[in-house]
Amino acid sequence: MFAYIALILAFVAMVSAGTISSSSSASGDVFVFAQSWQPGFCSGKSNYYGCSNPKDYWNKYFTIHGLWPQYSAGGYPHDCTTEAFNTTVPYEVGWTDMTTYWPNAQYEESDPNYDSFWIHEWSKHGTCTGLSQYDYFSGTINLLKQFGTPALITNNVGGSVSASDLRTYYGGSTKVALQCNSGNYINGVYTCWSQVNGKPTAQIVCPSDVQKEDTCSGSTVFISSFK
């Protein structure tokens, strides 16, 4: 009896720590990997702590908005389980990595609301991946590190590039949906990925509804800077 109780308690502890996800399998058959350009996101948000005190990394490289399960036929699952966000996971993944690569620019890191962005992304999207919280957050950060930011962006911060050239870098207009403020000022990029066992594996052609989310209508894309 005592051994049985100990086993149950150990299982509960693993779920609480994010080692085991309450979602048994992934929903959706592809992923949208949403990256953010913090100088663009911060436009008009000087009251946000991170926008007034940006990390050096944000000056040249994309950060993470989220990793979103999607249906290749259109639409997406959301809020797939009631598993609550585990506040210890950012420390297990690495606090510096989380705040650098997946930041909440609205708040100072010491603010109790700082993890509200991660709570939202986990609850709405992460619960539909079938992954543990640790695997969801750490895996998405690894994808960012591997996929990187185009030199076309990093070499032209504060300037502009051809929207067509930027789409070509990502494999063409069917493989990327650029995100712009006012049609010309980059604030993010959506790419699409095949999914195996809840993990992104290779960039693919985006579902048509994702392609339609491209909001960069001009022929030129301006790459705003914090400086």
Side-chain angles (χ1 to χ4, degrees), residues 138-174:
S138 65
T140 305
I141 287 173
N142 286 336
L143 179 59
L144 178 75
K145 291 178 178 180
Q146 293 164 11
F147 194 46
T149 301
L152 194 60
I153 295 286
T154 61
N155 292 338
N156 290 284
V157 175
S160 63
V161 299
S162 159
S164 177
D165 287 348
L166 188 54
R167 292 188 181 98
T168 297
Y169 172 87
Y170 285 104
S173 60
T174 63

Side-chain angles (χ1 to χ4, degrees), residues 28-132:
D29 53 344
V30 299
F31 278 119
V32 171
F33 181 41
Q35 295 173 273
S36 292
W37 181 248
Q38 289 295 322
F41 167 79
C42 284
S43 177
K45 300 184 178 74
S46 59
N47 59 316
Y48 282 12
Y49 181 85
C51 295
S52 297
N53 302 273
K55 291 180 181 286
D56 289 342
Y57 180 87
W58 306 348
N59 288 313
K60 294 188 67 175
Y61 304 103
F62 282 122
T63 60
I64 298 168
H65 184 169
L67 184 68
W68 307 334
Q70 187 90 11
Y71 297 117
S72 55
Y76 61 91
H78 59 87
D79 303 287
C80 294
T81 80
T82 58
E83 182 183 346
F85 176 74
N86 185 338
T87 57
T88 67
V89 167
Y91 297 96
E92 295 170 3
V93 173
W95 183 259
T96 299
D97 274 6
M98 288 289 287
T99 58
T100 299
Y101 303 124
W102 204 328
N104 184 348
Q106 185 172 359
Y107 299 106
E108 192 170 0
E109 290 179 26
S110 59
D111 193 298
N113 292 310
Y114 190 88
D115 62 3
S116 60
F117 182 37
W118 301 331
I119 292 171
H120 169 78
E121 291 300 313
W122 167 253
S123 299
K124 185 173 182 179
H125 302 289
T127 57
C128 299
T129 62
L131 299 173
S132 71

Side-chain angles (χ1 to χ4, degrees), residues 1-16:
M1 174 61 75
F2 289 113
Y4 176 76
I5 292 173
L7 182 61
I8 294 298
L9 291 174
F11 178 82
V12 170
M14 290 176 73
V15 171
S16 298

